[in-house]
Amino acid sequence: MRPILPPTRAERVTATGNVRVEPFDEYNRALVAQVHPPGWVNPVAAGRYHLVVLGAGTAGLVTASIAAGLGARVALIERHLMGGDCLTVGCVPSKALIAAARSWQAAAESSRTFGGPDISGQGDFAAVMARMRRLRAGLSRIDGASRYRDLGVDVFLGEGCFTAADTLEVGGQQLRFRRAVIATGAREAVPPIPGLADAGYLTNDSVFGLTELPRRLVVLGAGPIGCELAQAFARFGSAVTLLDQADRVLPRDDPDAAAVVARRDAPARPALACA
Ligand SMILES: Cc1cc2nc3c(=O)[nH]c(=O)nc-3n(C[C@H](O)[C@H](O)[C@H](O)COP(=O)(O)OP(=O)(O)OC[C@H]3O[C@@H](n4cnc5c(N)ncnc54)[C@H](O)[C@@H]3O)c2cc1C
């Protein structure tokens, strides 16, 4: 059965330029209201900025707030969601899933190890994801447009592009600057595997939009992010296969430490396989 995949990032910008994050429930509305507020009016560019920061992910936010705190005139430009990957499709949602998966695992092990009550049956994956969205929305004010405006940063929502060595255009305005920081982050790299595009695939950009647990999941890449997602989904009950072109998990990490992770499967749940 072909999985129903959440829409890509590009499909989530509506015709009016507002941003949707799927599923567009009360939590994701609250998230967007902070980090890409509908109806946000960009300030009028204030002369020549000491600093413009392109991209309001972790790097851009920290740069902008420190510079503004030191008294610089700062413009921060974001085309999608302030907070970037870390808040929306990285650290925050993945840690929420890991915490839930660890708790499920502890519950499943409690009978065998600690004489706890027998746990059987399926958990509620949709509730795990809703909790994640709730927590993410709750944190989003910290990265939000209003907060940064209150910190003294001129926040511009829109696609920024350089038009001269000292000028950046956003939303029809030319922002002149003395210095610029490019903090535009990274995008997923899709490996050229025959059939992958036809089969459909998730990336970190879409996996946190799931509301149903995939029955089977192949995770390509056994670095820290691949390992943590593979383990979490295995603990939720997906049959997970973790693949890497290297001959072990965590190929960039210490081999002894990686061996500990490789041995740590998910008892009482489908085991992780490393190929
Ligand atoms: C699943 C997962 C889990 C992770 N867990 C952790 C963790 O536990 N701890 C940790 O330290 N790191 C973690 N990371 C890594 C962390 O998310 C990234 O290192 C971090 O988000 C990078 O921040 P950044 O500001 O460089 O880029 P991004 O967060 O990618 O921000 C770049 C921003 O620039 C914007 N942008 C790009 N081009 C333009 C343009 N032309 N105009 C306007 N805006 C533009 C983008 O929309 C984006 O918001 C994780 C990553 C993933 C995927």
Side-chain angles (χ1 to χ4, degrees), residues 54-55 57-59 78-79 85-86 90-91 94-95 160 183-185 204 225:
L54 187 60
T58 312
E78 172 57 51
R79 68 180 174 191
D85 279 9
C86 187
C91 330
S94 64
K95 267 72 251 178
T184 48
N204 73 298
I225 293 171

Side-chain angles (χ1 to χ4, degrees), residues 133-142:
R133 294 194 299 275
R134 176 172 57 76
L135 296 175
R136 184 173 61 182
L139 287 171
S140 62
R141 194 196 65 79
I142 297 166

Side-chain angles (χ1 to χ4, degrees), residues 3-270:
I4 301 166
L5 302 177
T8 64
R9 182 178 300 201
E11 290 165 334
R12 285 188 259 130
V13 180
T14 66
T16 53
N18 289 332
V19 170
R20 285 174 66 94
V21 176
E22 301 296 341
F24 206 41
D25 61 0
E26 60 176 305
Y27 304 130
N28 281 344
R29 281 193 173 80
L31 169 76
V32 170
Q34 293 290 346
V35 294
H36 195 122
W40 177 262
V41 178
N42 286 339
V44 175
R48 188 181 184 214
Y49 288 97
H50 295 118
L51 184 69
V52 298
V53 181
L54 187 60
T58 312
L61 291 173
V62 171
T63 305
S65 62
I66 290 176
L70 293 172
R73 197 157 58 243
V74 181
L76 177 62
I77 299 102
E78 172 57 51
R79 68 180 174 191
H80 192 237
L81 299 172
M82 295 178 66
D85 279 9
C86 187
L87 175 68
T88 52
V89 292
C91 330
V92 168
S94 64
K95 267 72 251 178
L97 260 58
I98 288 169
R102 185 184 296 138
S103 164
W104 283 34
Q105 180 71 11
E109 280 181 0
S110 78
S111 166
R112 197 185 54 200
T113 309
F114 300 104
D118 228 358
I119 305 289
S120 60
Q122 298 296 309
D124 186 348
F125 178 75
V128 168
M129 299 306 272
R131 172 182 174 273
M132 176 277 287
R133 294 194 299 275
R134 176 172 57 76
L135 296 175
R136 184 173 61 182
L139 287 171
S140 62
R141 194 196 65 79
I142 297 166
D143 292 349
S146 300
R147 174 163 178 264
Y148 273 77
R149 180 189 56 203
D150 295 346
L151 289 173
V153 175
D154 277 1
V155 175
F156 294 83
L157 297 182
E159 175 103 25
C161 69
F162 291 97
T163 51
D166 66 348
T167 313
L168 184 149
E169 183 180 309
V170 58
Q173 295 196 70
Q174 303 288 327
L175 276 49
R176 293 190 52 243
F177 60 82
R178 197 179 295 173
R179 301 266 184 227
V181 168
I182 301 173
T184 48
R187 296 299 299 269
E188 65 279 356
V190 179
I193 297 174
L196 184 61
D198 293 334
Y201 55 85
L202 299 160
T203 67
N204 73 298
D205 198 31
S206 49
V207 70
F208 300 110
L210 287 175
T211 51
E212 281 178 46
L213 183 68
R215 283 174 46 211
R216 289 184 298 280
L217 192 65
V218 172
V219 178
L220 296 177
I225 293 171
C227 284
E228 68 180 18
L229 283 177
Q231 186 185 57
F233 276 90
R235 287 176 164 181
F236 291 136
S238 295
V240 177
T241 305
L242 179 61
L243 299 174
D244 200 289
Q245 56 195 354
D247 59 2
R248 64 178 176 88
V249 300
L250 301 175
R252 292 189 197 156
D253 290 280
D254 178 83
D256 292 336
V260 173
V261 175
R263 280 197 302 273
R264 181 78 182 131
D265 68 358
R269 301 262 168 213

